[in-house]
Amino acid sequence: MSDSRSVLITTHTGRDAAVESARLVIDRLLKEGLRVRVLADEADEVARSGVEVVPADERAAFGAEIIIVLGGDGTLLRAAEISRPTGVPLLGVNLGHVGFLAEAEVEDLHVVVDRVVDGRFEVEERMTLDVTVRNGTVLARTWALNEASVEKRDRMLEVVAEIDGHPLSRWGCDGVICATSTGSTAYAFSAGGPVVWPQVEALLVVPNSAHALFARPLVVAPTSSIAIELLSTTHAGVLWCDGRRRFDLPPGARVEVRKGTHPVRLARMLGVDSTGVPFTDRLVAKFGLPVEGWRGRARPA
């Protein structure tokens, strides 16, 4: 095995099971002749002899073949901040609760390592959001994989939603969630938004606890632009992107959301049995959906 191949390992170091899994993966990859990197802020927990320690920033993934993420969706969202600038794909192993972004469960860890060693995985691109905050001038520019969420601090917000430069509706609400299809099973789902299959490129607008007759979740084209304006007479709010990046919103602030210029790339193993794991099956498994009584299409005798 060529020593030019490099894998970055990142993990939820607050979980003993994740740390132990990371050590097992590292030992196996090193044994197979791959170079292994770990982040500096995780090195004390997971570093082994022969492992390269790299800064926990955008430089960490440069030149790597793949990033293996051991943890839940929060751990993978953190890793996305490292992978997005370089285009290095993420392969998530779920050690959390739901773990929609993860490709495999912890019991399949040996399969994950086998596929990485053999280079047997495919890569899919997930749409992101580019987000700009204005209030006369640009206050912030950021991005999100799951959602950009305008939220109240203490009191209800008064906002006006805009789609493609046209005002849509005014809402008194706890906030408004602008999400991708990937994020449709995250915060937007909790607020009553629809589940959108990840192959569908779309932008979701989900009012959160809105006091208005027209306050239904909306699905708009990926080419659309969305803006959420805080009225100048309302209270200050806050913008959260993927629950990780926070920006204060003064009254009168305008949050603009559109399809991101840089996707996040996710590695797919084609399933443990090499037949693929359809999103429908993922929904059933993650949410424990009742499917008893299903017979499927009748097969000829």
Side-chain angles (χ1 to χ4, degrees):
M1 190 69 62
S2 170
D3 64 1
S4 64
R5 298 180 64 200
S6 179
V7 178
L8 172 63
I9 307 294
T10 181
T11 190
H12 189 317
T13 55
R15 294 179 178 168
D16 291 342
V19 171
E20 181 60 29
S21 295
R23 291 171 178 168
L24 291 173
V25 171
I26 290 169
D27 289 345
R28 171 72 189 287
L29 293 175
L30 290 174
K31 182 179 178 181
E32 294 291 343
L34 277 70
R35 294 166 53 202
V36 178
R37 309 175 190 177
V38 298
L39 302 177
D41 56 4
E42 300 174 5
D44 288 345
E45 287 80 8
V46 303
R48 322 288 276 173
S49 176
V51 169
E52 179 185 2
V53 178
V54 296
D57 57 27
E58 295 179 352
R59 298 170 293 172
F62 277 109
E65 179 178 318
I66 196 169
I67 303 172
I68 299 178
V69 184
L70 299 151
D73 281 349
T75 310
L76 199 142
L77 288 170
R78 180 202 182 203
E81 297 176 344
I82 295 172
S83 74
R84 180 173 173 262
T86 62
V88 176
L90 300 166
L91 200 164
V93 179
N94 181 39
L95 285 90
H97 298 291
V98 179
F100 255 102
L101 292 171
E103 173 63 6
E105 301 299 319
V106 66
E107 56 265 25
D108 299 319
L109 191 59
H110 66 287
V111 179
V112 171
V113 177
D114 287 344
R115 297 293 172 88
V116 171
V117 169
D118 296 339
R120 290 191 295 137
F121 56 85
E122 293 186 348
V123 177
E124 67 180 33
E125 293 188 345
R126 293 291 183 93
M127 189 181 86
T128 58
L129 304 175
D130 283 343
V131 185
T132 303
V133 182
R134 303 180 189 272
N135 190 17
T137 60
V138 174
L139 301 181
R141 295 188 189 276
T142 186
W143 70 283
L145 173 59
N146 274 351
E147 75 278 314
S149 176
V150 175
E151 302 180 19
K152 69 176 185 180
R153 287 187 182 174
D154 301 312
R155 297 186 180 184
M156 183 179 69
L157 295 176
E158 290 285 343
V159 305
V160 175
E162 168 193 304
I163 308 293
D164 294 329
H166 299 273
L168 175 71
S169 186
R170 174 173 165 174
W171 298 313
C173 57
D174 286 353
V176 181
I177 302 163
C178 300
T180 63
S181 299
T182 299
S184 71
T185 50
Y187 189 13
F189 176 81
S190 299
V195 173
V196 181
W197 265 236
Q199 295 86 356
V200 178
E201 284 205 342
L203 298 171
L204 281 66
V205 181
V206 183
N208 193 358
S209 301
H211 300 275
L213 178 62
F214 184 83
R216 300 297 187 210
L218 307 172
V219 180
V220 302
T223 54
S224 290
S225 61
I226 300 166
I228 307 298
E229 295 184 348
L230 277 64
L231 300 188
S232 58
T233 54
T234 195
H235 302 281
V238 62
L239 169 69
W240 282 99
C241 289
D242 289 340
R244 295 189 51 80
R245 294 171 293 282
R246 182 185 188 278
F247 304 89
D248 291 330
L249 300 175
R254 173 183 169 93
V255 178
E256 299 173 346
V257 180
R258 52 180 43 86
K259 178 180 177 179
T261 54
H262 300 289
V264 166
R265 306 177 77 222
L266 299 181
R268 294 304 186 201
M269 298 191 306
L270 301 178
V272 173
D273 59 1
S274 300
T275 62
V277 181
F279 185 68
T280 306
D281 292 352
R282 194 178 293 264
L283 279 177
V284 171
K286 297 295 185 180
F287 289 135
L289 302 180
V291 293
E292 294 82 2
W294 176 76
R295 293 173 297 172
R297 179 180 296 178
R299 294 173 173 83

